[in-house]
Amino acid sequence: MLSLLIAATAKTQAADEVTVVAFGDSLTAGYGLDPRDVFPVRLEHALREKGIAARVINAGVSGDTTAGGLARLDWSLSSKPAVMILQLGGNDALRGVEPTTTRINLDAIIGRIIDAGVTVVLAGMYAPPNLGDAYVREFNAIFPELAKEHDIRLYPFFLEGVAAKPEYNQGDGIHPNRHGVKIIVDRFAPFLADAIRARY
């Protein structure tokens, strides 16, 4: 009888668990970090501290572009998440990909996620200023424009509070260190929690 009760409790807990997919590049994958300090792991802990029983799946691929993300999207959707964090575009800018191409890819990704009945939380990125004013303006406008068009939540800049601050980044000046990840999670977790609560 006790074993049946334990099994039933475990099944109920699993049913109540919210599956979140963090779909991104090296910033999500956790390049250069201890596995305990990567964004999805720290985010899951932060959500649980807020009373949200979330399972955050790390679907980050270092070096991935929006084109790469579009190509592998179906695999990540197969886990049937309730919410997907879309954190792509930074590598497009670093490689000088035409903003129009980045926009088309992100638009397609967002559309397919929505069609799957999954809530999209878009994590915005800014282009490096050395790419020129015209490129920066066009690239930076992609995220708010798509968020408005698809009526989805936008976190304006994923690296807010961390970018260009050496003490929060690894030696390459691009990837957050463990302290940087903490800042990102501290800022992002309440935003994501609101999105999860709104869904339910």
Side-chain angles (χ1 to χ4, degrees):
M1 185 68 177
L2 179 60
S3 61
L4 290 174
L5 178 61
I6 293 173
T9 301
K11 186 175 181 180
T12 300
Q13 288 175 339
D16 291 342
E17 195 174 63
V18 179
T19 300
V20 177
V21 168
F23 189 74
D25 52 33
S26 56
L27 300 178
T28 293
Y31 175 86
L33 294 169
D34 185 287
R36 296 170 296 181
D37 293 322
V38 301
F39 171 73
V41 171
R42 298 282 287 268
L43 180 62
E44 181 176 302
H45 291 162
L47 290 172
R48 289 181 180 272
E49 287 175 356
K50 294 180 181 299
I52 297 175
R55 178 173 66 107
V56 182
I57 298 173
N58 190 342
V61 174
S62 293
D64 211 4
T65 61
T66 56
L70 181 58
R72 65 183 176 90
L73 179 60
D74 288 344
W75 182 84
S76 290
L77 286 173
S78 67
S79 60
K80 301 194 180 303
V83 178
M84 181 172 280
I85 302 163
L86 176 53
Q87 180 275 299
L88 284 171
N91 286 316
D92 290 46
L94 291 174
R95 298 181 185 187
V97 173
E98 282 295 325
T100 301
T101 300
T102 299
R103 193 186 197 287
I104 290 170
N105 291 335
L106 285 174
D107 183 52
I109 291 171
I110 293 168
R112 282 166 59 179
I113 296 172
I114 292 173
D115 287 346
V118 178
T119 296
V120 187
V121 174
L122 181 60
M125 289 299 297
Y126 294 155
N130 64 326
L131 292 175
D133 291 345
Y135 186 98
V136 169
R137 279 196 306 271
E138 189 175 354
F139 182 90
N140 292 357
I142 292 171
F143 299 89
E145 288 174 358
L146 287 176
K148 184 176 181 180
E149 289 175 18
H150 289 277
D151 192 24
I152 60 175
R153 292 174 184 255
L154 171 67
Y155 186 80
F157 182 39
F158 186 70
L159 296 175
E160 185 68 40
V162 173
K165 295 185 178 181
E167 65 270 30
Y168 298 137
N169 286 279
Q170 299 176 46
D172 59 12
I174 296 174
H175 296 93
N177 57 28
R178 63 189 302 271
H179 304 294
V181 173
K182 182 181 185 304
I183 290 174
I184 294 170
V185 169
D186 286 348
R187 290 170 179 259
F188 191 86
F191 179 83
L192 182 62
D194 286 345
I196 292 172
R197 292 186 181 114
R199 179 180 174 95
Y200 296 99

